[in-house]
Amino acid sequence: MKTVRIIRMIVAAIFLGATIAYFLTFDNSRESIELLRAHESLEFVEVSQLIPSTIALSMGALLFWLCATFAMGRIYCSTVCPVGTLSDLFMRLRRELGKLFPKQLRLQFRWKNPSRLRYHIMAVYFICLVIGIMAVPFLMEPWNIVRNAASLGNDRILDQTWALLGVNMFLGVSITGVVTLAAVAVWGFLAGRDYCNVVCPVGQAMALIDRYALLHIEFDPDRCISCLQCEEVCRSSCIKVTERRVDNSRCVKCLDCVTRCPANAIRLQATRNRAATPLAEKG
């Protein structure tokens, strides 16, 4: 399972790097042939994303991610999604800084109850889609979030989009790019994958499918020694050791908990284990 986790991290790094390069090499003037070639060679990153592929009616990508999610859960969120990888990087930054300042930046993502706010945000998202207020989805979708942030290095990415939305291009690039990047950085630094489980519309759609996924994270009650290590490293705050419970709808299948567990008591598997009697949490 450690090998699978390493592969996941490599894929995530490749897609994040390719996504940033894709945006930075975008040139709607098409004056540079070399820049055009570089951009077109990276178009696989856009095709692989859910929102752009759905808009382009690319059913192949959509069906692939539906099948992948039914099979393994939210692996899209832990591999291909650029915002998810950015959140992980800022979370990792806090973890490293926490080694230098353990009292101020101790990183423990203990269990948090699912936020009801996610349902209200999703309602706003779909209402805006239906009535045509596209600025709101444009600010919420992960692909567009990275595009907003990348516009700080290449403003040609967004000039046509902001024109369609009726916003001055300079204001759109300057304000949205800075605010977007700051929001992702702060949220990832302080709360790990909370954005993915509260705001992201793709994450919420994946969560609904993940409830019926073939593979899911499960406790083995007979093996668990209540060391709480899996709960402390869970970037989605969806593990509750005292109840031997994992909220797989919020789990992004990063596999950190599986590789951290010293007793092999938490695993990615197809079978369901019986719930254990709640234990007293170690202080």
Side-chain angles (χ1 to χ4, degrees), residues 55-248:
I55 293 174
L57 299 179
S58 176
M59 297 305 295
L62 182 60
L63 288 174
F64 171 81
W65 284 118
L66 282 174
C67 294
T69 306
F70 273 119
M72 294 189 63
R74 295 174 59 176
I75 58 169
Y76 170 88
C77 301
S78 60
T79 55
V80 175
C81 178
V83 172
T85 305
L86 281 174
S87 298
D88 289 345
L89 289 176
F90 288 112
M91 183 198 71
R92 182 71 182 181
L93 174 62
R94 175 169 174 170
R95 180 169 290 164
E96 294 302 318
L97 291 175
K99 297 176 182 178
L100 302 175
F101 309 100
K103 292 184 179 179
Q104 295 85 355
L105 294 174
R106 190 181 181 190
L107 184 61
Q108 290 184 327
F109 293 144
R110 295 290 180 85
W111 167 271
K112 289 190 295 188
N113 290 322
S115 172
R116 292 185 176 274
L117 181 62
R118 57 182 175 169
Y119 300 115
H120 303 299
I121 293 177
M122 281 299 291
V124 171
Y125 173 81
F126 282 113
I127 289 172
C128 290
L129 277 181
V130 171
I131 64 178
I133 304 178
M134 300 308 297
V136 173
F138 182 68
L139 295 173
M140 293 174 60
E141 295 162 353
W143 177 255
N144 286 322
I145 284 178
V146 178
R147 186 159 64 139
N148 289 332
S151 67
L152 294 172
N154 181 9
D155 58 11
R156 291 184 298 274
I157 302 170
L158 293 177
D159 51 4
Q160 294 177 347
T161 303
W162 285 115
L164 290 173
L165 294 175
V167 178
N168 178 271
M169 189 272 290
F170 175 77
L171 292 176
V173 171
S174 301
I175 297 176
T176 309
V178 172
V179 170
T180 299
L181 185 59
V184 171
V186 172
W187 211 327
F189 189 84
L190 296 178
R193 286 300 193 101
D194 254 20
Y195 164 81
C196 306
N197 287 315
V198 177
V199 176
C200 179
V202 176
Q204 299 312 310
M206 292 285 188
L208 294 175
I209 301 173
D210 202 329
R211 297 176 185 273
Y212 309 99
L214 175 62
L215 296 176
H216 39 268
I217 303 294
E218 283 284 321
F219 272 103
D220 184 339
D222 296 328
R223 286 178 174 268
C224 183
I225 59 176
S226 298
C227 66
L228 301 180
Q229 291 190 49
C230 59
E231 188 171 326
E232 291 174 0
V233 300
C234 179
R235 62 192 68 192
S236 297
S237 301
C238 65
I239 297 177
K240 195 167 188 177
V241 172
T242 55
E243 297 181 7
R244 305 293 192 260
R245 178 154 63 104
V246 180
D247 181 357
N248 275 278

